Amino acid sequence: MLLPIVDVYDGDTIKTDMSSRLPEPLGKISIRIRGIDTPEKPAASYKVTGKLGRAGCIKEAELALEAKEFVEMMAVGFTKMKVDNFKWGKYGGRIVGDVKIGGVNVADALIKEGLAIPYDGGTKTHDWCQ
């Protein structure tokens, strides 16, 4: 399914608009990229205040910003992403699926760049601060 790229939320989540397929309150939805985990992003004010938010350390915060920027750069020149093998996420309110932008698998690209690790949806064990 081709979906519009509305915003890159973080390295493993892209916001889209499915208002044409879902009732209005559900139309704006996040797509969680299947098979990867990226560092937790810092607080929105991080660059000004240094607040880490969900990031465990400065290294994780910086890697999270780099992962988000990497996906944003992948999306330059593209207004849509291809989402396959999708299902409702375990936390509700978002979809988990395989995502390609411009024919490139986003999960594979992030792993290759060292900005994501493989993740099966279970307990997170990777420490981005080491």
Side-chain angles (χ1 to χ4, degrees):
M1 168 178 6
L2 282 177
L3 295 172
I5 299 169
V6 172
D7 182 44
V8 175
Y9 177 75
D10 62 15
D12 54 26
T13 307
I14 301 173
K15 293 185 178 187
T16 192
D17 187 339
M18 296 179 67
S19 296
S20 65
R21 294 182 173 98
L22 295 171
E24 181 56 37
L26 301 175
K28 305 226 183 322
I29 195 161
S30 295
I31 307 294
R32 171 75 156 78
I33 301 168
R34 180 192 318 282
I36 61 168
D37 185 40
T38 58
E40 295 294 337
K41 71 180 206 167
S45 64
Y46 172 72
K47 290 184 178 181
V48 176
T49 66
K51 291 186 179 181
L52 294 176
R54 295 188 62 187
C57 62
I58 292 171
K59 180 180 177 185
E60 182 173 13
E62 294 295 326
L63 285 169
L65 294 175
E66 193 175 335
K68 177 181 178 185
E69 184 178 306
F70 182 83
V71 177
E72 288 172 337
M73 292 305 296
M74 286 185 73
V76 169
F78 297 97
T79 59
K80 296 189 183 266
M81 62 185 155
K82 185 174 183 185
V83 181
D84 290 316
N85 303 316
F86 52 88
K87 65 178 185 174
W88 284 110
K90 65 182 177 182
Y91 296 113
R94 68 181 181 183
I95 292 172
V96 177
D98 300 324
V99 178
K100 288 184 179 178
I101 298 175
V104 177
N105 183 296
V106 178
D108 291 346
L110 281 162
I111 290 171
K112 184 177 178 184
E113 287 296 313
L115 297 171
I117 58 163
Y119 175 62
D120 64 5
T123 302
K124 294 181 181 185
T125 59
H126 187 75
D127 183 359
W128 293 101
C129 297
Q130 291 185 359

